[in-house]
Amino acid sequence: MKFTTDWLNEWTKTNADAEALSDLLTSLGLEVDSVEKQDKTTIIDIDLTPNRSDCLSLWGVARDVAAATKQTLKPFDVPLIKETSKTQRKTTLKNPDVCPLYASRVIENINPNATTPDWMLTRLEAAGIKIIHPVVDVLNYVMLDVGQPMHAFDLDQLNGDLTVRFAKKDEQLQLLAEQTVTLQADMLVIADDNGPVAAAGVMGGLNSAVSAETKHVLLESAFFQPDAISGRARRLGLHTDGSHRFERGVDPTLAPRALAYATQLLLDIVGGEPGPVTIAESKKHLPTLNTISFQPDRARALLGANIDDARMHCLLEALGMSIEQGKTAWTITPPTWRFDLAIEEDITEEIARLVGYNQITACPPTFTVTETKVQCTQRQLSKWRQHFADVGYTEVISFSFVDPAAQQILMPDEKTLPVVNPIAPELSSMRLSLLPGLLQTLRRNQKRQQNAVRLFERGVCFHFDNDKLQQPMRIAAVVWGEVAPTQWGQAPRVMDFFDMKGQLEQLLAGISNVQFVPSQQTFLHPGQAADVLIDGECLGWVGAVHPASVQALGLKGPVFAFELADFVLCKGGDVQYQPVSKFPAVQRDLAILVDESVSAQSIQDVVDSVVGKWLNKLDIFDVYQGKGLTPGTKSIGLRLTLQEASRTFTDEEIQDKMAALVDKLQQQLQATLREA
């Protein structure tokens, strides 16, 4: 928020130059973004945290400055307006729980030729506010000065009385920005007999806007619950000064006073005949003041500073707090504009702000460290991270919310969890898998001329199991591009399914009973996809992302990925060491003919069942299809390495075992030995 120092000085005399004032504001938590000298004044731009909406006005900033500097704060005097007209419009609150107060006043016969005075123009322009019309300029000025967003309607364009209600289905409104929007059922509107004339707390409608021809105006000053306004402007593709303040919260007692203030300014500038104030109010729905129990001793312990009771009392009173002092604890009632104060620590923070953080001596915290057992997941995750890094992967941490359109491309049949107030439309759905976020990161890297990308991530996902939300932790990786950097000794080659599967097998090397079986995941390429089974339970998948999905997501392919349940990390347990056998190993090669649909896993299963513990290693060193073979079959070359830890095999034992293996392959896979 931008403002001029002379404007701030009207509320409280700071007696400080621009640099000192900038330092003071920053120390109060109102961080100064810039300081700009201009003619006889200085423009200061401050950046506020979302909880300090009370400082979205000059009056609010001045309250903090006056409290910190012990200067006098000018009171907000509400002028008495003499009514010279009886014209008014009634207002009905259809939803008082979200709009418990709506004040309005008619001013007739304003001077259409009046102009905004120079002193106001200068301040509004310094604040970055566009100059529009004297009536609108006055309301913007009041908003900046005391913090109440307001709106003015052209009275002649309103039909009947006003109603504050939620929008009806498919209701439309043409906004001041000349944008026609379809309102949603949870959007609050101001409506006359013809329909909506404003999106409450966001922006007025174009048809009832004040213009150069306007003679009579209706001023609006209301209180909306922040939850009823939050996110609505974003959904309409807007961000207005009014919605910015209402989303964060406005003093619920301010609306009638601001209306009187604005009326007086308008009478001074454009003249007119003011009517009576019309107030629609539901007191039981207005925010109530909460009390906070505060212990000065505890505050001193938390801050590590010896601030006496009298000083604390003085500081808190200067911020407008009401204090009932007890023996050990005080009961504090925050002012109506400080709804961010809820617990004792909030009060302690206020004291620290006003004393100055740089006035509190820094001392390192002391604590006792006790030995604790590192969980298996933590230990294994560290090893996995190191393994990924060793083979060229980069860890990413992406948002848990993703683009629903991209997720729909990958998993169109899955029920998703929408985000209630998304920070952007493309981040409005919780992720079902880590894959959408990783693919988005991959696309960003592809657009930056990378020729190979390897990414991995660990994070929580969100999906429904029989309408019950599940939040499993998962690990996933994606790869794309060349296997190795360009060099003279090796022809360039892009990653394929077996590279991805091989890297996954390395990660799972310490886990027993791992199987890869053909997968039916629709977002994976048929024939290049496998489900990962551990002890017979499907705990993940690996494969090529379907080319149609790759194209729809704007990626360069082929892209390979895998995803596993997080607890797989602990399946392997700690590493078990065993002595190297001193007895010689025996190798036997087999060339078998099988149907082309037979998978490597099914061959591995047969070999394991026959050779058992004798098997040290199984390699598939050749796969051939084509000339010389019956169509629909393939030739596979197997190399078995057999070894025992306590003895040497005899020739007869090896021959019997190999004969038994050939028989089992024939029985279960209809395999035949290939003739030389």
Side-chain angles (χ1 to χ4, degrees):
M1 186 183 76
K2 290 183 177 179
F3 59 86
T4 58
T5 52
D6 64 303
W7 193 354
L8 180 65
N9 277 322
E10 286 187 359
W11 283 102
T12 184
K13 296 295 181 185
T14 62
N15 297 324
D17 59 21
E19 185 176 350
L21 180 58
S22 175
D23 291 342
L24 173 64
L25 292 171
T26 299
S27 71
L28 287 171
L30 315 178
E31 185 177 352
V32 174
D33 272 356
S34 64
V35 178
E36 180 186 348
K37 296 279 185 183
Q38 190 179 78
D39 296 335
K40 297 179 180 178
T41 188
T42 301
I43 301 173
I44 293 181
D45 185 5
I46 60 173
D47 191 12
L48 297 170
T49 53
N51 65 318
R52 293 307 308 275
S53 62
D54 61 296
C55 285
L56 283 169
S57 69
L58 269 297
W59 186 30
V61 175
R63 283 192 296 250
D64 266 23
V65 171
T69 58
K70 300 180 182 177
Q71 292 295 318
T72 302
L73 178 70
K74 186 184 82 172
F76 176 24
D77 294 324
V78 181
L80 291 174
I81 306 298
K82 183 179 179 183
E83 298 164 9
T84 55
S85 165
K86 294 184 179 180
T87 305
Q88 59 181 318
R89 290 291 173 93
K90 293 182 180 178
T91 305
T92 302
L93 303 179
K94 283 282 188 183
N95 303 95
D97 55 326
V98 292
C99 177
L101 175 65
Y102 191 94
S104 63
R105 163 178 271 152
V106 169
I107 301 179
E108 294 180 296
N109 298 316
I110 64 171
N111 178 7
N113 299 317
T115 58
T116 306
D118 289 343
W119 63 268
M120 185 177 288
L121 286 177
T122 301
R123 290 181 174 182
L124 290 175
E125 287 175 344
I129 300 293
K130 184 180 178 182
I131 305 303
I132 299 174
H133 182 281
V135 173
V136 179
D137 297 340
V138 165
L139 300 191
N140 284 334
Y141 183 83
V142 171
M143 176 185 70
L144 290 173
D145 204 23
V146 299
Q148 174 67 46
M150 298 176 66
H151 184 65
F153 298 98
D154 185 330
L155 186 67
D156 292 334
Q157 305 305 318
L158 297 178
N159 188 5
D161 292 330
L162 297 180
T163 302
V164 185
R165 58 169 173 82
F166 281 117
K168 298 175 183 176
K169 185 179 181 183
D170 297 330
E171 257 185 335
Q172 291 194 324
L173 173 65
Q174 188 176 21
L175 298 168
L176 286 170
E178 300 187 2
Q179 167 191 3
T180 299
V181 295
T182 300
L183 301 165
Q184 298 173 10
D186 64 344
M187 291 180 174
L188 207 57
V189 299
I190 314 300
D192 66 5
D193 291 348
N194 290 338
V197 292
V202 178
M203 184 178 281
L206 183 62
N207 291 340
S208 59
V210 173
S211 67
E213 288 74 37
T214 298
K215 295 180 180 177
H216 317 301
V217 294
L218 175 74
L219 305 182
E220 165 205 284
S221 184
F223 172 75
F224 302 111
Q225 294 288 359
D227 288 347
I229 306 300
S230 181
R232 276 44 167 200
R234 257 194 313 279
R235 273 192 257 159
L236 297 175
L238 300 168
H239 179 80
T240 63
D241 289 314
S243 67
H244 185 77
R245 285 164 173 79
F246 280 125
E247 284 182 346
R248 287 156 177 76
V250 173
D251 183 352
T253 68
L254 186 58
R257 291 181 289 163
L259 181 61
Y261 181 29
T263 302
Q264 185 61 60
L265 285 174
L266 284 172
L267 294 179
D268 294 343
I269 296 171
V270 300
E273 301 161 11
V277 174
T278 303
I279 296 182
E281 184 178 18
S282 174
K283 290 185 178 178
K284 70 176 183 179
H285 290 107
L286 284 168
T288 55
L289 295 175
N290 296 321
T291 58
I292 301 170
S293 177
F294 173 74
Q295 300 178 60
D297 286 341
R298 181 171 159 75
R300 280 186 280 270
L302 280 172
L303 298 176
N306 188 23
I307 306 168
D308 60 46
D309 288 6
R311 191 179 182 195
M312 287 190 194
H313 192 285
C314 183
L315 293 172
L316 296 176
E317 229 176 23
L319 287 173
M321 300 190 198
S322 172
I323 304 170
E324 289 183 29
Q325 215 162 329
K327 285 186 179 178
T328 58
W330 301 353
T331 300
I332 294 180
T333 305
T336 53
W337 56 83
R338 290 303 303 272
F339 28 78
D340 59 309
L341 303 178
I343 59 177
E344 184 178 15
E345 287 74 11
D346 293 335
I347 304 298
T348 304
E349 182 185 0
E350 292 303 294
I351 292 170
R353 274 195 324 116
L354 294 188
V355 168
Y357 290 109
N358 56 356
Q359 300 300 316
I360 298 174
T361 305
C363 55
T366 58
F367 50 88
T368 303
V369 178
T370 57
E371 185 180 2
T372 185
K373 186 177 181 180
V374 178
Q375 293 184 350
C376 172
T377 306
Q378 294 173 304
R379 189 170 61 249
Q380 295 295 336
L381 179 63
S382 176
K383 292 168 59 178
W384 277 47
R385 279 196 168 114
Q386 186 60 52
H387 178 87
F388 274 120
D390 289 345
V391 293
Y393 282 76
T394 299
E395 182 172 10
V396 300
I397 301 174
S398 54
F399 286 124
S400 294
F401 20 89
V402 296
D403 185 350
Q407 190 154 254
Q408 178 78 8
I409 291 171
L410 294 166
M411 300 155 192
D413 300 325
E414 294 275 344
K415 181 181 178 182
T416 59
L417 178 65
V419 178
V420 176
N421 291 312
I423 58 176
E426 61 272 20
L427 295 172
S428 59
S429 184
M430 302 307 289
R431 63 187 176 194
L432 294 163
S433 157
L434 299 177
L435 186 60
L438 285 170
L439 292 180
Q440 185 181 25
T441 306
L442 172 63
R443 182 175 58 189
R444 193 173 298 123
N445 279 273
Q446 286 181 338
K447 289 181 177 178
R448 282 158 180 76
Q449 293 79 46
Q450 299 295 312
N451 60 6
V453 180
R454 301 181 182 191
L455 306 169
F456 78 98
E457 181 175 11
R458 175 177 180 258
V460 68
C461 298
F462 305 82
H463 69 88
F464 289 92
D465 184 5
N466 293 326
D467 289 333
K468 186 176 181 182
L469 180 64
Q470 305 291 329
Q471 300 181 52
M473 188 70 79
R474 290 180 176 163
I475 295 173
V478 297
V479 297
W480 166 83
E482 297 180 358
V483 173
T486 303
Q487 53 147 309
W488 64 95
Q490 183 179 356
R493 183 176 73 80
V494 298
M495 295 279 288
D496 60 24
F497 170 74
F498 298 103
D499 292 317
M500 182 87 267
K501 180 170 175 281
Q503 291 178 2
L504 180 56
E505 286 175 329
Q506 289 180 19
L507 289 170
L508 300 174
I511 302 173
S512 57
N513 297 326
V514 178
Q515 293 178 295
F516 294 87
V517 300
S519 176
Q520 302 302 317
Q521 300 279 7
T522 55
F523 57 87
L524 296 179
H525 191 308
Q528 296 186 45
D531 286 335
V532 182
L533 275 59
I534 299 178
D535 295 330
E537 183 183 3
C538 182
L539 298 178
W541 50 262
V542 57
V545 180
H546 199 290
S549 299
V550 169
Q551 184 178 12
L553 293 170
L555 292 161
K556 301 174 188 175
V559 177
F560 301 92
F562 75 75
E563 184 169 284
L564 295 172
D566 171 77
F567 60 84
V568 168
L569 296 175
C570 291
K571 286 281 183 181
D574 293 329
V575 175
Q576 301 292 322
Y577 295 95
Q578 61 184 24
V580 176
S581 175
K582 62 182 179 181
F583 299 98
V586 177
Q587 285 190 339
R588 289 292 184 271
D589 292 350
L590 287 177
I592 59 174
L593 291 173
V594 294
D595 187 86
E596 63 180 359
S597 63
V598 173
S599 66
Q601 184 63 53
S602 59
I603 295 173
Q604 174 80 56
D605 292 343
V606 172
V607 173
D608 287 340
S609 66
V610 175
V611 184
K613 64 179 183 180
W614 289 10
L615 184 65
N616 181 278
K617 187 179 180 186
L618 172 64
D619 294 315
I620 297 178
F621 64 87
D622 183 51
V623 177
Y624 173 73
Q625 282 182 285
K627 186 177 179 181
L629 298 183
T630 303
T633 64
K634 60 185 175 185
S635 170
I636 296 179
L638 306 175
R639 174 164 297 161
L640 291 82
T641 303
L642 312 177
Q643 193 175 32
E644 264 281 19
S646 58
R647 66 188 181 92
T648 303
F649 296 121
T650 64
D651 289 342
E652 290 75 16
E653 287 176 320
I654 297 298
Q655 289 172 5
D656 291 346
K657 189 65 76 177
M658 296 307 294
L661 176 59
V662 171
D663 286 344
K664 195 68 174 284
L665 288 169
Q666 198 281 326
Q667 291 172 15
Q668 294 205 352
L669 304 178
Q670 290 75 51
T672 58
L673 286 178
R674 186 180 179 188
E675 297 179 358

